[in-house]
Amino acid sequence: MTPVKADLTRQWRLLDLQKLDTRLDQLGHRERTLPIQAQLTEAQAVAQRLSEDVVIARTALQDNARAVSKADADVQLVRDRADRDRKRLESGTGTAKELQNLQHELDTLARRQSELEDVELEVMERAESLQADLTAKETAQQEAAGRVETLQAEQQKALAEIVTERESVERERANVAPGVGQDLLALYEKLRDQMGGVAAAALQQKRCSGCGLELGQADLARIRAAAEDEVVRCEECRRILVRTAESGL
């Protein structure tokens, strides 16, 4: 493979390009791992759970309302029957046996009415408790929904800031990349895919800023002997190694 040649100006521009690409990678990571996203996910789960609780509480109240209506109807049915029997008894029509049976039935109906009124009172009291429970859960659900809305707004603001910065960096990159040259840019892009995004690194004080390792004497001698326009690589990490005034050669 023919070695890539590029004057130092192009190589230094490659370092500028690497900084911009690193920033774009950082912005992408930040976008994917916004702390507020975890808060929003948790808040949405809470809001969903409270919404389900409200449905359950509302259903319980509706069921109890039907129980109240049934209790009312049962009590009224007994009252109506007792009224009819009382009128017949007061009229005195019928045999002594029939009047005696009416009195017995009235006594039975009175006990039944008392029992049904106790049931009616119980379900009516339960309605008050169920209504209070529903109101509390609706309030909690509304507060949770408000929390979700607030977090969504904060998330959108944070994402908008990322988008704005990304667009700015991408515009700058579009200006820098052409100055690198197609041959060096092609090598750089290939290495970026292989090296987790960092393909070019400065040689600083005899150390590769890509892998952080200090170069041995043999590698330093090789780089010193290389032509200024020769694109050299780190023997350890194989990244493009750019010589600068701080390389320590």
Side-chain angles (χ1 to χ4, degrees):
M1 181 180 294
T2 303
V4 176
K5 298 284 187 177
D7 60 58
L8 279 179
T9 300
R10 289 172 58 196
Q11 294 185 44
W12 291 338
R13 189 171 289 267
L14 185 64
L15 289 179
D16 294 334
L17 184 63
Q18 179 66 78
K19 289 179 181 178
L20 294 171
D21 282 336
T22 297
R23 184 55 185 157
L24 288 174
D25 290 342
Q26 291 170 343
L27 289 171
H29 177 74
R30 179 182 166 194
E31 183 178 37
R32 293 188 299 272
T33 60
L34 279 175
I36 199 171
Q37 180 58 54
Q39 298 175 40
L40 177 57
T41 299
E42 181 181 356
Q44 288 172 328
V46 170
Q48 177 62 32
R49 185 168 64 251
L50 289 172
S51 293
E52 293 170 358
D53 289 346
V54 166
V55 171
I56 293 172
R58 188 173 291 134
T59 300
L61 184 61
Q62 292 169 347
D63 289 344
N64 193 73
R66 285 190 288 271
V68 170
S69 296
K70 182 179 183 303
D72 285 342
D74 289 345
V75 170
Q76 190 59 48
L77 186 64
V78 172
R79 286 173 180 165
D80 292 343
R81 178 65 178 271
D83 286 343
R84 289 195 301 270
D85 287 354
R86 192 174 296 108
K87 289 177 182 178
R88 287 180 58 192
L89 186 61
E90 291 172 353
S91 69
T93 57
T95 65
K97 182 63 174 177
E98 289 174 338
L99 294 177
Q100 183 180 4
N101 288 340
L102 281 174
Q103 184 60 60
H104 177 70
E105 184 172 305
L106 280 170
D107 294 340
T108 301
L109 289 172
R111 290 193 296 272
R112 178 58 176 162
Q113 180 176 333
S114 177
E115 293 170 356
L116 291 174
E117 286 174 344
D118 287 343
V119 171
E120 182 182 28
L121 181 61
E122 181 181 341
V123 293
M124 290 176 67
E125 289 175 346
R126 189 182 306 136
E128 294 178 3
S129 173
L130 291 172
Q131 180 61 63
D133 181 60
L134 174 59
T135 299
K137 287 178 177 175
E138 286 177 334
T139 298
Q141 192 276 329
Q142 290 167 4
E143 291 175 351
R147 168 74 171 159
V148 169
E149 290 180 2
T150 298
L151 290 173
Q152 286 175 331
E154 292 177 6
Q155 180 196 47
Q156 290 306 311
K157 180 181 178 182
L159 290 174
E161 291 173 353
I162 291 173
V163 169
T164 298
E165 184 175 356
R166 178 187 290 126
E167 291 174 348
S168 175
V169 175
E170 287 175 343
R171 284 193 297 270
E172 188 174 355
R173 188 187 193 281
N175 292 328
V176 171
V180 173
Q182 287 298 322
D183 51 351
L184 184 56
L185 186 61
L187 174 62
Y188 167 77
E189 296 291 4
K190 178 181 178 181
L191 291 176
R192 258 177 60 80
D193 291 338
Q194 299 173 356
M195 304 291 180
V198 179
L203 176 59
Q204 294 180 323
Q205 300 303 318
K206 303 179 182 180
R207 188 180 299 274
C208 171
S209 60
C211 62
L213 295 178
E214 184 174 346
L215 275 63
Q217 291 302 316
D219 289 333
L220 291 172
R222 171 180 59 82
I223 293 173
R224 289 192 195 99
E228 187 177 84
D229 66 347
E230 182 178 342
V231 176
V232 298
R233 307 271 292 275
C234 173
E235 288 297 325
E236 294 296 333
C237 66
R238 302 306 298 159
R239 290 182 172 89
I240 298 169
L241 204 55
V242 181
R243 289 160 282 181
T244 71
E246 299 177 353
S247 292
L249 295 174

